[in-house]
Amino acid sequence: MRILIVTRGSQGDIYPFIALATELRGRGHRVTFSLPRIFEEHARKAGLTYILQDEDDIGGMINRTAETKQKAREVLRWMRGVIDMQFRQLVPLMEEHDLLIAANTEFAAASVAEYCGKPIIRTAFGPFLPSRNIPPAVMPFPKPGKILSPMFFWKLLNVSTNFMVRKTINRNRASLGMEPVKNFGYHTAEYCDNFLLYSPTLGSTDPDWSSKYQWAIGGYSFNDSMEYDKREFDRLMTFIKGDDRPTLFFTLGSCNDKNRDRFCSMLAQICLAEDYKLVIGSGWSGTGTHLEGNDSFYVLSSTIPHNLFLPHCAAAIHHGGCGTTHSMARAGIPQMVVPIFVDQHYWGYRVTTLGLGPARAKLGKIKRAELHRRIKDLMTNPAYKQNAADTGAKLRAEHGPQALCDYIERNYPQTVGEKQEERHAY
């Protein structure tokens, strides 16, 4: 089968799809991967056939919007440019493929598949389907409320999404002779086959979805085969195993926040007071580099696969990205989330709900005394350790890439045209 995969974003958005593309190719399918230019080397080393995207400066956009007061305007400009680019690039590509697999961030994907008459699997790293029971994972209110119900927030999200992208979507649809969409979010969820790329152990699902949407869930798509600096890995493990002091890991991944150095400094002071070692994943923004030079701290400047060193850490504090949350959970260690935006609040809520660590905290507002209390709780609470160990065992038994590949081969045979006609008969 000829399969086109499209996604964008940071490492946590790209690496899972590299694992998926590799699995599909290993099963004999012809796979083309559309991805941002900054990840070309990763796709090349994985031996994938790939197409580079325009309007893909996600790293630059994050840094600019973190430092400017015109965040909304900058994001909107970038997002609308991406949509135009998607229509230009994906329509001719889709005509050469049988199936489209797209992240839910690819706003033009459903319209492109519809125009080309090809099936589409819309993937998501969270419960991004309208629900009466689960609020939108992109809002900082992940707990269902009695007064402001989840559906209220879904309607609010639909209004804001329509404002951001519907005009651009419909302008491109009109140029292709297609009817306009009234509500972008609902149209996309109802049109696509939705496959959730997160763990059913760690994330939440709603049985009511089945009455409106075609959906399935298969577990997170871990990528454990990425190349890494083996000398830095050896130095890191020497640091972690150098003595019996417990190690705390902290990272903000690819996120940038003006409070990152203040928070790191508090972490460092607390770790020194409690005789903990601290490993800081500096990420794209260089978090924690001002702490280099202390024997109790290790600033990790390159990407080392989490599965190699996390099991040797006592606990972790992080931004709450889907991939990072799943990595901590799979390693079986307690964790605490300091969310910054989008779905990070949701994953922080799930960590607390499952008893994997303390309640999430605001990176820029938490005081040192409160952070100290939470870190001691994180590092010593036996309930967190037991819950994390149990959850880790369950996640290690899940196989996300294989589950999605099995789903594709089961539901999308080579007679794609016949399957497409049957699938949209409802």
Side-chain angles (χ1 to χ4, degrees), residues 88-135:
R88 290 195 306 269
Q89 287 192 332
L90 295 185
V91 167
L93 278 174
M94 198 62 245
E95 291 174 346
E96 301 173 359
H97 292 81
D98 303 314
L99 173 67
L100 175 60
I101 301 174
N104 63 305
T105 52
E106 304 308 291
F107 296 127
S111 294
V112 169
E114 182 182 352
Y115 174 75
C116 295
K118 304 292 178 68
I120 175 174
I121 296 179
R122 171 183 177 259
T123 63
F125 292 118
F128 290 102
L129 288 171
S131 167
R132 289 191 177 93
N133 302 304
I134 306 172

Side-chain angles (χ1 to χ4, degrees), residues 154-298:
W154 279 107
K155 290 177 181 178
L156 181 63
L157 178 63
N158 184 58
V159 170
S160 61
T161 305
N162 279 340
F163 167 74
M164 291 187 293
V165 305
R166 184 178 61 181
K167 183 177 180 180
T168 308
I169 291 286
N170 283 337
R171 172 169 49 78
N172 282 279
R173 286 175 66 95
S175 70
L176 297 173
M178 304 173 68
E179 293 292 323
V181 295
K182 182 178 180 181
N183 290 305
F184 168 75
Y186 293 114
H187 169 267
T188 301
E190 291 169 359
Y191 181 83
C192 295
D193 186 350
N194 301 278
F195 195 94
L196 306 178
L197 278 175
Y198 60 89
S199 168
T201 299
L202 200 57
S204 49
T205 59
D206 187 348
D208 290 345
W209 284 338
S210 298
S211 64
K212 290 186 177 180
Y213 313 109
Q214 184 167 339
W215 73 279
I217 187 169
Y220 188 75
S221 183
F222 291 103
N223 191 335
D224 297 329
S225 61
M226 301 300 297
E227 290 191 3
Y228 60 94
D229 187 332
K230 291 181 173 56
R231 287 181 295 181
E232 170 133 31
F233 170 69
D234 290 339
R235 290 193 294 269
L236 173 62
M237 292 307 298
T238 298
F239 171 80
I240 293 175
K241 293 186 173 184
D243 55 51
D244 293 334
R245 290 179 297 163
T247 299
L248 175 65
F249 177 61
F250 169 67
T251 184
L252 295 179
S254 59
C255 297
N256 193 358
D257 189 278
K258 64 181 180 181
N259 298 294
R260 65 184 187 276
D261 288 339
R262 168 188 170 272
F263 189 85
C264 276
S265 295
M266 289 196 300
L267 276 181
Q269 293 166 6
I270 294 166
C271 286
L272 288 174
E274 294 294 332
D275 203 23
Y276 301 149
K277 290 179 289 187
L278 176 64
V279 174
I280 301 174
S282 61
W284 286 0
S285 60
T287 300
T289 52
H290 67 289
L291 296 176
E292 292 179 322
N294 189 304
D295 291 341
S296 292
F297 311 142
Y298 189 101

